[in-house]
Amino acid sequence: MKISSMLIFALTMQAKFTLAQEQDSVKMGRQIVTESLKGTVLDKNTRLPIIGATVVFNLGNDSKSVSTDKQGIFRFDKIPVGRQVLQVRMTGYKQEEIQELLITSGRENIINVEMEEQTSRLNEAVVYANTGKQPLNQMAMGSGRSFSPEETNRYAGAFFDPAKMAQSFPGAVAGGDGNEIIVRGNSPKALQWRLEGIEIVNPNHFAEEGAAGGGISMLNSMVLGKSDFYTGGLAAEYNNATAGVFDLRFRKGNTDKREHTFSVGVLGVGATLEGPFKKGSPSSYLLSYRYSSLSLMDKAGIKLTDEGVPSYQDLSFNFVFPTKKAGTFSLFGIGGIGKLNENAERDYPKWEERKDGQDMKSGFDAGSVGMKHQYIANDRLYFTNIVSMSVSRNSNTTDTLSEDYASSLFNKSKFVNTALRYAGTLNYRLGERNTLRTGLNASILKYDLYSRSYDNEIEGLKERINENGSTSTYDGFVQIKSVLGEKLTLNTGVHANYFDLSKTWSIEPRVGLNWKVKADQTITLGAGLYNRLEPLAFYFAKSGDGHQASTDPKLSPTKNAQAVLGYEKNLNRTLRFKTEVYYQHLFNVPVSSDPAINFSLLDAADISAIGTSSYRQLVNKGTGRTYGIELTLEKSLSKGYYFMATSSLFDSKFKALSGQEYNTTFNTRFVGNLLLGKEWTVGKEKNNLFGLNGKLVYAGGRKYSPVMEEESLRRDEEIVDQNRINTLTSDPYIRADFSASYRVNKKKVSHLFIMDIQNVLNRENTIGMHYNFSKRVIEPQKWSGIIPTINYRIEF
């Protein structure tokens, strides 16, 4: 009822506001709203500005064009708001076309375009809109795509979150109620987050220790620039990743004027500020802050739930300082703090299950900050150096109350991880057809890991882990991109890794091939060897019988040898078909040293396993495999609508010491996504934009193991049949999402209303039958039902 009231109130206010805007439009004399657009055109290989490039706006029967200046900068004034088409042309370069460029009022529109040199005449006749979604990294050959912040606002169920948006891409499956992603059947923890070219901490609130996702993203689409998402076939420069990679970029703040954005919604109240540090300066700031709306309402006395209210806040920033001779420096960062406290009601007769008589305090604080320097020496050489620090702190304390409300400790844990990192890259053009890129990465990893919890067998607290110290990991790579002719591009490289804790090396060759069969058809190949460092808690946790689990000093990172073959066909200027087949062989996988326990880190999404009685010392003797095929039919936004239909068929297995092959819990076998949307220009002068978006997901059920009821009740924890791991399948996962948006463009301000509803049919999908510790019963474990959000944003 509370949710329905909120929706009705929001829709009523939206209708009143729309009417007021239409009346204002009449009073203004039917004025068409316009705004300025500016940007920079760069050479994708050299990072140098392209001088004299022609930038064209196609405005119906009219067009505007300008040329870039000595800094590669262009500017348009008085561009009508709404969707526009932008083309960039330069002799010797592939023409770029942006079909879905959104021009809004209230703040200057900024776009950066990177152009590749023309090595073939195949693309001169037709320009395909989907080429703008190719990865920004020129070394990438396949299994990747770029995405814009505007897409995270538009896709239904995305909640302004890049990870939730990427769950619609081929090869990606939702890993739970949060934004975890299962990439091609791999564990969600195998996903790596990068920002501005260096690995960062998991940028999500309320993440479980060791996970790569969480409940709410810290990322704000207002500060993001165009970024990349990969599902495999990574170039040699990528380290510490065996599955997917989010390669994020922050945009640069406006250097000409100060601009402000304020937003309010279910997910938070926030502000974004940007502009030059001083008038006429090329240096700029971009700063965004958000505070939990639910926490604010709770403090105001508005009770939304009988359980704890999540409280969180986050901050993102990017300060850019160009110099005349020393290159460009930037200071960037992202971080957040959050807590969730639940106190038991001091009324014993009302307690129906265990958690009713427990006080719980949990917190998750995380952040990354970095300094980046980029120097362009000449038209052949540029290099970057980045130093960063990341910190995460995950804590939980649970107290059990007696009938007279005396408390006793039930669980206490604290996991603190600190990473000091360096990433240096040199990019050198050996000639017109060859580009060399080489670099070094170093990470110093500090850890303070502690956990103890109540154990029914000893009727007391058992220490699960208690370790602090530091270790390090080092990476080096070299790769060469070679244009072998008008149709072939080859990328070869090698990556080397040294992990100090295990004193082990890993030498990893990688190769990528792009064959332009015809102007509208491309075949890609990517293959290589990759490694991933597991969460450090697994290297030090004690066995369930109380013994230290890290007695084997040679426990080293997990490895993945994979190959991907792809085919892409442009059916017309805005419609494309793409398919990829892949095979991955995982080895050196940490598994339980007890052959009777079929546990593998390929089957774990976080470190929760270390708190179970069946956890044992890990050894690098496990294997696994995933293989599958993906199909995509995508129409870019044009003529007011877009759609994307994806399907994936795959298989994901693992082997522990017993040698028996089992499904991973993430082996849903198939997933299909249908994403579509339609936009209309509305209002007296067609200045406003109304959009409807939908998403439908149909996936196979998660795998789970039979629970041994008597043993689970005796030990008071879930005990599964080790001989039948993941032999059962839950019901198919079905979810429909819906969003509606309305943008009002005024002369000096714009307003954006978005209503986004995840699981609009309120279907409670099940994960399987599991032991409920609080109720001491075996029951279905369910995902969340309907999750509605309403957001308002004003830009000026």
Side-chain angles (χ1 to χ4, degrees):
M1 291 298 294
K2 292 179 180 178
I3 292 173
S4 300
S5 299
M6 291 172 63
L7 293 175
I8 293 171
F9 174 77
L11 292 173
T12 302
M13 293 301 294
Q14 176 177 319
K16 291 181 178 180
F17 192 84
T18 303
L19 179 60
Q21 295 302 317
E22 291 178 349
Q23 292 172 347
D24 288 344
S25 178
V26 174
K27 294 177 182 179
M28 290 174 60
R30 304 171 65 86
Q31 182 179 0
I32 297 177
V33 177
T34 62
E35 189 53 87
S36 60
L37 171 82
K38 63 180 182 179
T40 305
V41 180
L42 299 176
D43 185 300
K44 194 172 185 177
N45 290 302
T46 66
R47 312 302 301 168
L48 286 169
I50 298 178
I51 304 171
T54 301
V55 186
V56 180
F57 251 122
N58 292 318
L59 305 171
N61 297 326
D62 193 13
S63 65
K64 290 185 176 183
S65 65
V66 297
S67 297
T68 56
D69 62 15
K70 295 181 179 180
Q71 285 76 43
I73 297 174
F74 66 90
R75 181 183 180 89
F76 289 94
D77 292 314
K78 297 184 178 180
I79 298 297
V81 296
R83 297 286 180 184
Q84 306 293 355
V85 178
L86 182 73
Q87 294 180 339
V88 185
R89 307 166 187 162
M90 182 66 184
T91 303
Y93 288 87
K94 297 178 183 178
Q95 180 176 319
E96 295 289 332
E97 180 173 287
I98 303 172
Q99 279 274 342
E100 51 192 66
L101 181 61
L102 178 62
I103 303 297
T104 63
S105 66
R107 54 196 302 271
E108 290 188 327
N109 299 270
I110 302 174
I111 186 170
N112 296 316
V113 181
E114 297 182 3
M115 303 186 73
E116 278 192 281
E117 284 190 294
Q118 181 79 29
T119 57
S120 166
R121 297 180 180 273
L122 292 174
N123 290 331
E124 291 183 351
V126 181
V127 179
Y128 298 102
N130 282 294
T131 59
K133 295 182 180 178
Q134 297 301 316
L136 299 175
N137 189 337
Q138 62 163 321
M139 295 293 180
M141 293 287 101
S143 295
R145 62 167 288 164
S146 64
F147 63 92
S148 67
E150 192 270 328
E151 287 179 276
T152 67
N153 301 342
R154 188 198 330 150
Y155 285 8
F159 295 168
F160 310 104
D161 183 350
K164 283 187 174 292
M165 175 205 64
Q167 291 173 358
S168 302
F169 294 162
V173 185
D177 285 332
N179 62 3
E180 284 188 322
I181 301 177
I182 299 167
V183 177
R184 292 180 170 172
N186 290 278
S187 167
K189 63 180 172 55
L191 176 75
Q192 186 199 90
W193 292 92
R194 289 164 63 97
L195 178 61
E196 292 295 319
I198 196 165
E199 184 176 356
I200 62 171
V201 71
N202 177 9
N204 292 285
H205 292 289
F206 307 111
E208 297 293 336
E209 177 67 17
I216 301 171
S217 176
M218 298 177 188
L219 293 165
N220 189 329
S221 61
M222 288 299 299
V223 300
L224 282 179
K226 200 172 183 181
S227 304
D228 287 344
F229 176 66
Y230 298 95
T231 55
L234 303 174
E237 64 195 82
Y238 291 100
N239 66 315
N240 198 30
T242 53
V245 172
F246 261 109
D247 197 353
L248 304 172
R249 298 187 185 185
F250 277 167
R251 67 180 179 87
K252 182 181 177 182
N254 197 333
T255 57
D256 293 333
K257 58 182 292 189
R258 291 184 170 88
E259 296 177 328
H260 316 85
T261 300
F262 297 99
S263 60
V264 59
V266 174
L267 295 180
V269 177
T272 301
L273 311 176
E274 63 178 294
F277 282 100
K278 64 178 182 179
K279 190 174 182 179
S281 169
S283 300
S284 65
Y285 64 87
L286 177 61
L287 184 70
S288 184
Y289 171 79
R290 180 180 59 170
Y291 192 92
S292 166
S293 297
L294 299 178
S295 179
L296 286 175
M297 288 187 284
D298 185 63
K299 290 180 179 180
I302 303 174
K303 190 175 180 61
L304 299 176
T305 176
D306 294 331
E307 299 180 351
V309 175
S311 174
Y312 56 89
Q313 48 189 314
D314 46 61
L315 176 72
S316 302
F317 61 89
N318 189 27
F319 304 145
V320 182
F321 307 93
T323 66
K324 293 183 178 179
K325 296 183 179 181
T328 299
F329 295 85
S330 61
L331 178 66
F332 61 90
I334 181 173
I337 57 178
K339 64 180 181 179
L340 176 61
N341 298 336
E342 295 186 55
N343 294 321
E345 184 179 0
R346 265 53 176 180
D347 192 349
Y348 176 75
K350 292 184 178 180
W351 295 354
E352 297 180 354
E353 54 183 284
R354 289 185 180 184
K355 70 175 184 178
D356 294 335
Q358 291 183 329
D359 290 340
M360 186 270 287
K361 296 181 180 179
S362 62
F364 182 80
D365 308 329
S368 299
V369 61
M371 174 65 79
K372 180 178 181 179
H373 173 236
Q374 183 175 76
Y375 181 79
I376 302 175
N378 50 49
D379 62 354
R380 289 183 177 271
L381 173 67
Y382 75 86
F383 58 83
T384 60
N385 289 283
I386 311 170
V387 291
S388 73
M389 181 175 75
S390 294
V391 180
S392 68
R393 183 181 185 276
N394 201 327
S395 63
N396 178 271
T397 301
T398 303
D399 294 320
T400 298
L401 304 180
S402 63
E403 294 182 15
D404 58 356
Y405 312 122
S407 65
S408 59
L409 183 64
F410 181 80
N411 172 73
K412 186 176 181 63
S413 63
K414 183 183 71 172
F415 299 93
V416 181
N417 293 279
T418 304
L420 302 175
R421 304 186 191 276
Y422 165 78
T425 304
L426 182 147
N427 198 93
Y428 182 70
R429 296 195 67 195
L430 300 172
E432 292 185 359
R433 293 180 175 267
N434 298 286
T435 301
L436 169 72
R437 183 175 293 175
T438 184
L440 296 171
N441 295 270
S443 299
I444 299 175
L445 309 175
K446 297 183 178 181
Y447 49 86
D448 184 2
L449 313 172
Y450 173 79
S451 177
R452 60 176 176 154
S453 59
Y454 185 84
D455 184 270
N456 195 52
E457 291 286 305
I458 64 174
E459 296 184 345
L461 295 173
K462 176 183 288 187
E463 190 171 82
R464 308 293 181 177
I465 185 171
N466 189 359
E467 196 78 24
N468 65 79
S470 65
T471 185
S472 56
T473 179
Y474 305 92
D475 297 88
F477 70 89
V478 59
Q479 56 190 354
I480 297 177
K481 179 181 179 180
S482 302
V483 180
L484 303 180
E486 291 190 347
K487 297 183 178 182
L488 285 177
T489 302
L490 178 67
N491 184 354
T492 56
V494 63
H495 185 104
N497 169 261
Y498 176 75
F499 181 42
D500 183 60
L501 189 66
S502 58
K503 310 297 182 185
T504 54
W505 283 91
S506 178
I507 307 298
E508 303 164 0
R510 302 179 189 178
V511 62
L513 179 68
N514 186 300
W515 177 23
K516 203 73 173 178
V517 181
K518 294 182 179 180
D520 59 354
Q521 297 181 55
T522 305
I523 293 176
T524 58
L525 171 68
L529 183 63
Y530 308 87
N531 78 82
R532 173 73 171 174
L533 181 66
E534 301 291 350
L536 288 177
F538 283 119
Y539 294 78
F540 303 108
K542 297 179 180 181
S543 294
D545 54 10
H547 293 101
Q548 189 74 15
S550 58
T551 55
D552 185 356
K554 298 185 183 300
L555 192 63
S556 56
T558 300
K559 296 185 179 181
N560 186 337
Q562 59 179 262
V564 186
L565 179 64
Y567 171 77
E568 184 174 336
K569 165 72 173 178
N570 287 292
L571 303 176
N572 57 42
R573 295 182 71 252
T574 61
L575 182 66
R576 71 162 178 167
F577 167 78
K578 184 177 182 179
T579 183
E580 288 190 336
V581 294
Y582 60 88
Y583 185 88
Q584 301 181 5
H585 171 65
L586 296 106
F587 60 102
N588 215 49
V589 179
V591 296
S592 175
S593 59
D594 186 348
I597 298 176
N598 291 299
F599 173 75
S600 168
L601 289 193
L602 299 183
D603 200 40
D606 49 50
I607 69 160
S608 57
I610 70 172
T612 65
S613 61
S614 60
Y615 184 77
R616 296 291 185 271
Q617 172 187 341
L618 302 179
V619 292
N620 289 110
K621 295 183 178 180
T623 60
R625 61 188 175 99
T626 71
Y627 58 91
I629 182 172
E630 299 162 1
L631 304 170
T632 303
L633 182 65
E634 180 177 10
K635 180 191 178 299
S636 295
L637 180 59
S638 63
K639 297 181 180 179
Y641 75 99
Y642 71 94
F643 67 80
M644 179 168 63
T646 67
S647 62
S648 301
L649 302 174
F650 63 94
D651 197 24
S652 175
K653 301 289 181 64
F654 76 88
K655 287 183 181 180
L657 280 190
S658 67
Q660 178 68 38
E661 188 175 61
Y662 294 99
N663 293 305
T664 67
T665 188
F666 316 111
N667 191 17
T668 62
R669 297 293 180 92
F670 63 88
V671 61
N673 292 290
L674 176 61
L675 191 75
L676 68 167
K678 180 73 172 73
E679 291 182 345
W680 295 267
T681 53
V682 296
K684 293 293 184 180
E685 299 298 338
K686 303 298 183 181
N687 290 324
N688 304 332
L689 196 65
F690 176 70
L692 295 176
N693 303 278
K695 177 183 175 182
L696 179 63
V697 182
Y698 186 89
R702 295 280 287 268
K703 303 297 182 184
Y704 67 100
S705 306
V707 179
M708 303 174 69
E709 186 171 1
E710 291 185 6
E711 189 69 7
S712 296
L713 290 172
R714 187 184 71 82
R715 295 193 185 184
D716 204 18
E717 67 170 297
E718 181 171 289
I719 306 296
V720 301
D721 188 343
Q722 290 292 329
N723 295 317
R724 300 169 61 197
I725 295 295
N726 296 333
T727 54
L728 302 178
T729 304
S730 60
D731 294 334
Y733 179 84
I734 303 173
R735 194 185 83 207
D737 302 335
F738 169 79
S739 72
S741 64
Y742 187 72
R743 179 178 287 276
V744 180
N745 289 298
K746 301 287 289 182
K747 187 175 182 181
K748 295 183 179 181
V749 65
S750 69
H751 309 266
L752 176 63
F753 298 88
I754 295 181
M755 180 177 65
D756 199 348
I757 305 176
Q758 181 175 296
N759 198 357
V760 67
L761 300 179
N762 197 26
R763 176 185 169 88
E764 294 186 350
N765 292 284
T766 60
I767 306 175
M769 301 296 292
H770 293 273
Y771 176 71
N772 186 322
F773 165 83
S774 182
K775 297 179 180 179
R776 288 180 57 83
V777 297
I778 309 297
E779 65 178 12
Q781 183 178 347
K782 296 180 179 293
W783 276 334
S784 297
I786 186 170
I787 304 177
T789 65
I790 300 175
N791 298 275
Y792 165 71
R793 177 186 297 172
I794 180 172
E795 302 173 356
F796 59 95

